[in-house]
């Protein structure tokens, strides 16, 4: 147990170091953007005195390294500052939008994870059959297309040709729960088609590798059905790589939704980030980027830890 706790502490320390480096990259990236943000916001008619006063109000007259540590300290304490566009608290803006992004990601995960596991197990069960080849071709085709292309194809098929789902997922806090689910089904289906191939193929490969194990051969010699051998004996031992790939894809569902949210005009964190970039609302862009980075790092750490907990042999890499 102590070895596992030591491993978890090491992973968290590595995660914090990664986030620190990411925060530096985000801050430097914003600093290196061309143009002066005060002049951009005030316009060309602003006098130098007005621009200087506005720069002081924004804190831009302070050296960059002091502003970086002030920003980092504020992020650690939950104080993300105020939006330049509407003067609202950034934490309030991001809280609402991040909740919507999580709702979309959870809906997509509720569809994609059971679907990918089922397809993967069946593909291993009927290896080299027509079903196996057909599932591989369909899933690999869906992952080969860009997300926006898949989204527009689904809109054309399921909103225009057969008007089953709305093409715009414009939900709000007042939208009833089941109406929210109905409106996010099309963007969730887009995300499902993007991630299901990876999870399905990892499930298939993990189970096929285990089918050559001695205990699987023993189960076959006992006369157990192939389905029971796979589901009861192979699948539990294939959990480590499957959990790893599922959690990594969940991370992608949360941080990779920017394009899907823009296509469906979905009021999530990705849409907020794109809007903030167009308005040069840089504090919101910085905070959104850090939220995405933190979520991705945290879920990757979770995948790493769960993999080791389900397969303690990974504690002793050869």
């Amino acid at each position: 147990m102590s070895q596992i706790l030591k491993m978890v502490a090491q992973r968290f320390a590595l995660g914090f170091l990664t986030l620190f480096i990411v925060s530096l990259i985000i801050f430097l990236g914003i600093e290196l953007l061309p143009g002066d943000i005060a002049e951009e916001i005030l316009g060309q008619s602003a006098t130098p005195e007005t621009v200087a006063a506005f720069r002081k109000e924004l804190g831009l007259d302070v050296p960059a390294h002091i502003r970086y540590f002030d920003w980092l300290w504020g992020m650690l304490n939950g104080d993300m500052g105020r939006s330049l566009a509407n003067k609202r608290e950034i934490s309030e803006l991001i809280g609402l939008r991040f909740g919507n992004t999580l709702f979309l990601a959870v809906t997509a995960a509720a569809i994609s994870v059971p679907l990918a596991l089922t397809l993967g197990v069946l593909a291993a069960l009927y290896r080299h059959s027509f079903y196996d080849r057909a599932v591989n071709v369909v899933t690999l085709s869906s992952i080969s297309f860009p997300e926006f292309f898949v989204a527009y194809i689904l809109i054309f098929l399921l909103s225009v040709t057969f008007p089953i789902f709305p093409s715009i997922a414009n939900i709000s806090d007042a939208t009833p729960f089941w109406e929210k689910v109905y409106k996010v089904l099309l963007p969730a289906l887009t995300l499902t088609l993007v991630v299901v191939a990876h999870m399905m193929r990892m499930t298939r490969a993990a189970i096929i590798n285990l089918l050559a194990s001695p205990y699987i051969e023993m189960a076959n010699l006992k006369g157990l059905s192939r389905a029971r051998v796979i589901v009861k004996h192979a699948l539990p031992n294939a959990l480590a790589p499957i959990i790893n790939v599922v959690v990594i894809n969940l991370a992608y569902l949360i941080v990779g939704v920017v394009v899907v949210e823009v296509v469906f005009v979905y009021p999530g964190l990705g849409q907020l980030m794109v809007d903030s970039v167009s308005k040069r609302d840089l504090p919101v862009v910085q905070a959104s980027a850090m939220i995405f980075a933190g979520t991705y790092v945290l879920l990757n750490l979770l995948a790493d830890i769960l993999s080791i907990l389900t397969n303690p042999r990974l504690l002793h890499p050869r």
Side-chain angles (χ1 to χ4, degrees), residues 226-260:
R226 192 166 178 78
R228 188 174 178 185
V229 169
I230 288 179
V231 174
K232 191 170 181 180
H233 296 277
L235 189 57
N237 290 287
L239 280 180
I242 293 174
I243 287 175
N244 189 285
V245 74
V246 166
V247 177
I248 288 176
N249 276 279
L250 289 180
Y252 176 77
L253 285 177
I254 295 175
V255 304
V257 297
V258 176
V259 174
V260 174

Side-chain angles (χ1 to χ4, degrees), residues 168-189:
I168 295 177
N170 54 342
I171 67 169
S172 67
D173 289 343
T175 307
F177 176 77
W178 289 113
E179 189 178 341
K180 273 187 183 179
V181 173
Y182 171 66
K183 286 190 173 182
V184 303
L185 275 179
L186 208 51
L189 190 57

Side-chain angles (χ1 to χ4, degrees), residues 43-179:
Q44 296 181 349
S45 59
T47 62
E49 292 77 14
T50 308
V51 172
F54 193 57
R55 284 179 60 83
K56 187 175 183 180
E57 181 185 342
L58 297 179
L60 297 177
D61 56 334
V62 179
H65 67 281
I66 296 178
R67 279 187 285 120
Y68 167 70
F69 285 111
D70 285 344
W71 170 68
L72 193 61
W73 180 250
M75 289 293 295
L76 289 173
N77 288 282
D79 179 15
M80 302 177 186
R82 287 182 178 275
S83 163
L84 298 180
N86 52 28
K87 306 300 180 186
R88 291 177 63 187
E89 289 283 344
I90 295 176
S91 56
E92 180 187 347
L93 285 173
I94 286 184
L96 293 172
R97 296 300 192 96
F98 192 51
N100 289 340
T101 295
L102 285 179
F103 183 77
L104 174 58
V106 168
T107 306
I111 300 172
S112 60
V113 173
L115 179 65
L117 294 182
T118 304
L119 292 176
V121 170
L122 291 176
L125 188 61
Y126 300 106
R127 187 182 177 189
H128 299 316
S129 67
F130 173 77
Y131 165 81
D132 184 23
R133 293 188 176 88
V135 167
N136 274 292
V137 168
V138 171
T139 54
L140 286 177
S141 299
S142 68
I143 201 174
S144 302
F145 294 116
E147 293 170 18
F148 69 89
F149 183 77
V150 176
Y152 285 128
I153 290 294
L154 288 178
I155 290 174
F156 175 73
L157 290 176
L158 300 177
S159 294
V160 178
T161 307
F162 304 101
I164 302 172
F165 299 110
S167 59
I168 295 177
N170 54 342
I171 67 169
S172 67
D173 289 343
T175 307
F177 176 77
W178 289 113
E179 189 178 341

